[in-house]
Amino acid sequence: MIGAHTDSPTLRVKPVSKKQLEGFIQVGVETYGGGLWHTWFDRDLGIAGRVMVKTEEGDFVQKLVKIARPILRIPTLAIHLDRQETFTFNKETQLFPIAGLVAAELNRTGEAPEPQAPEPTAPDRSDTPNTPSDESFAPLKAPRERHHPYIVELIANEAKVRSSSIVDFELILYDTQPACIGGLNSELIFSARLDNLGMSYCSVTSLIKSLNSPSALENERCIRLISLFDNEEIGSTTAQGADSNLLPSIIRRLSVIGSGSDQTDTAYEQTLATSFLISADMAHSVNPNYAAKYENDHKPEMNKGTVIKINANARYATNSPGIALIQEVARRAKVPLQLFVVRNDSSCGSTIGPMLAASLGTRTLDLGNPQLSMHSIRETGGVYDVGYGVQLFESFFEHFGELEGKIFVD
């Protein structure tokens, strides 16, 4: 098995996002995960996500939308107005993006400026019973009231529905600048969300490539599985996160396939005992400007291969039997590997590896391709490491069934 996560730190539109200050239209956002939020300033931002729509039949359906043009921007303060040596800001009051000018929006709609009036009080419904047929009653304000109407219109256009049919949405901000190949010799990748779409891509691609041959599954006694989770950046304790029952329940159902009636009761436990999980999450490349932050003998380099992550305090799930297995897998694929531990005076991140190892009790190893600027809006990876990762995982799928029985631990 290979497990990875698909989410990245981002900014999410608040349930009530409509803001207006000093002649600017603004959008209220909240932070998701531990992002390097200063990198979000002065970037060309779009919005994307899920919209819930009410159909004419009264059903509620999901639509995915992506506004692929820069409609938002978080402006920095000019250095002339605040000469601070360290860029600091308040995430609640100074991280709101601007979406345009109030005057421009009024000109577009031909409306007059709204007078500043107190919030209307709710009507007294104490003597009026609510009935299911009372369609006029709305428990919440409509999206066009909670958000800027033009933004709701843009979302409706992308979803190809009427704006009045939108019930709610979950939208995040993203950098509209596309990923690109960079470096003097085109050896680098400049992109958003390499952590962890980089390893998600390697996982999916390797699974597909491992099945290219018509005879790929002949004499195969193992099930090749990848699991891509959400919400790793906020702890994984969601229904779609790695700390949920999702993967155990799937494995439990798969474990009884081909089992005899006398083996069904313990098929799940036997499957876990003979399985192996690779926790695939991007790793840290050495940063030449901050080389002192790395342990002297464990400085992963870009384009030198996938990094095995080790931590004595179990922030990663790697152990020696796992290293023995992945070394042999890499040898057969002829791809290099690297080792990484953090300094004793440094904090250490973690992955889905330890929590899945604890919940499943299966053998687990943490690894990932090296990258710079992790959790920035714009990250840097190595072109050749992508190929190394795909080849390594493809070899893992193809050879694990044979190698599993050759590693003995008392």
Side-chain angles (χ1 to χ4, degrees):
M1 298 180 288
I2 299 177
H5 71 91
T6 58
D7 62 316
S8 301
T10 187
L11 297 174
R12 175 169 156 166
V13 177
K14 287 185 174 182
V16 180
S17 70
K18 187 177 183 180
K19 293 184 178 296
Q20 180 177 313
L21 189 64
E22 303 297 345
F24 283 95
I25 295 173
Q26 290 185 286
V27 175
V29 295
E30 58 178 330
T31 57
Y32 172 92
L36 294 175
W37 303 121
H38 64 274
T39 64
W40 285 72
F41 283 76
D42 299 327
R43 302 296 299 190
D44 302 336
L45 305 174
I47 56 176
R50 173 169 64 180
V51 181
M52 294 304 298
V53 176
K54 186 175 183 180
T55 67
E56 293 181 355
E57 293 77 21
D59 298 325
F60 297 91
V61 298
Q62 168 185 288
K63 300 279 187 178
L64 298 180
V65 299
K66 176 184 177 183
I67 298 179
R69 67 181 180 92
I71 61 172
L72 302 174
R73 193 175 182 90
I74 305 171
T76 51
L77 182 65
I79 191 173
H80 314 83
L81 302 179
D82 187 6
R83 296 184 182 275
Q84 55 180 340
E85 291 186 7
T86 303
F87 180 43
T88 59
F89 57 92
N90 185 293
K91 290 187 289 186
E92 177 56 31
T93 61
Q94 297 170 329
L95 197 59
F96 292 147
I98 58 174
L101 299 172
V102 174
E105 178 64 4
L106 293 176
N107 289 336
R108 184 187 71 86
T109 60
E111 298 176 358
E114 293 183 4
Q116 297 295 324
E119 287 287 328
T121 58
D124 183 7
R125 294 179 178 267
S126 58
D127 298 327
T128 306
N130 292 324
T131 63
S133 61
D134 187 4
E135 294 292 336
S136 62
F137 174 67
L140 288 174
K141 289 183 178 180
R144 288 179 62 89
E145 296 180 74
R146 293 186 280 126
H147 308 278
H148 289 290
Y150 193 26
I151 291 180
V152 178
E153 289 178 26
L154 292 176
I155 295 168
N157 289 338
E158 288 294 321
K160 296 180 173 55
V161 298
R162 297 191 306 272
S163 61
S164 59
S165 66
I166 293 178
V167 179
D168 198 47
F169 48 68
E170 299 169 346
L171 298 177
I172 61 171
L173 279 57
Y174 74 96
D175 189 356
T176 57
Q177 182 180 357
C180 66
I181 301 299
L184 290 174
N185 296 289
S186 300
E187 70 270 43
L188 301 176
I189 302 172
F190 303 145
S191 174
R193 301 178 296 280
L194 287 177
D195 174 29
N196 188 42
L197 294 184
M199 299 316 294
S200 297
Y201 172 82
C202 290
S203 303
V204 174
T205 304
S206 64
L207 179 62
I208 295 171
K209 289 176 68 69
S210 76
L211 301 172
N212 277 346
S213 169
S215 59
L217 296 181
E218 289 183 6
N219 303 316
E220 176 64 274
R221 62 185 184 85
C222 298
I223 295 176
R224 302 175 185 181
L225 181 150
I226 62 173
S227 186
L228 306 182
F229 297 99
D230 197 2
N231 303 132
E232 187 272 348
E233 299 293 354
I234 56 172
S236 297
T237 53
T238 62
Q240 58 274 6
D243 203 23
S244 69
N245 194 42
L246 175 63
L247 185 56
S249 63
I250 291 174
I251 296 175
R252 187 178 296 277
R253 294 170 68 181
L254 292 174
S255 65
V256 298
I257 295 177
S259 299
S261 57
D262 58 333
Q263 297 177 317
T264 302
D265 292 343
T266 61
Y268 176 63
E269 289 77 11
Q270 292 179 52
T271 298
L272 294 179
T274 56
S275 296
F276 192 94
L277 170 68
I278 291 179
S279 168
D281 202 346
M282 295 291 282
H284 300 292
S285 167
V286 63
N287 187 321
N289 295 332
Y290 301 91
K293 293 289 186 180
Y294 299 78
E295 206 280 334
N296 283 336
D297 298 316
H298 300 84
K299 296 180 177 179
E301 298 179 51
M302 207 86 75
N303 287 327
K304 292 292 183 68
T306 302
V307 180
I308 300 172
K309 298 188 278 188
I310 305 165
N311 184 259
N313 297 299
R315 299 292 288 172
Y316 304 129
T318 305
N319 58 22
S320 291
I323 293 176
L325 172 66
I326 206 67
Q327 271 198 106
E328 180 60 21
V329 167
R331 187 190 66 80
R332 297 189 179 195
K334 294 182 172 58
V335 296
L337 294 172
Q338 305 182 74
L339 298 170
F340 174 76
V341 298
V342 297
R343 292 168 55 99
N344 287 324
D345 57 0
S346 171
S347 60
C348 181
S350 190
T351 68
I352 63 174
M355 69 177 65
L356 286 175
S359 64
L360 298 174
T362 197
R363 296 164 294 178
T364 305
L365 180 136
D366 271 292
L367 53 67
N369 285 343
Q371 71 162 91
L372 292 170
S373 307
M374 187 176 288
H375 288 196
S376 171
I377 196 172
R378 196 79 175 168
E379 301 172 333
T380 300
V383 168
Y384 303 113
D385 287 326
V386 177
Y388 290 146
V390 171
Q391 293 173 61
L392 178 67
F393 292 167
E394 184 181 357
S395 178
F396 170 69
F397 283 129
E398 291 176 349
H399 300 298
F400 173 73
E402 172 197 350
L403 295 175
E404 188 273 332
K406 294 185 176 181
I407 299 174
F408 299 94
V409 179
D410 292 333

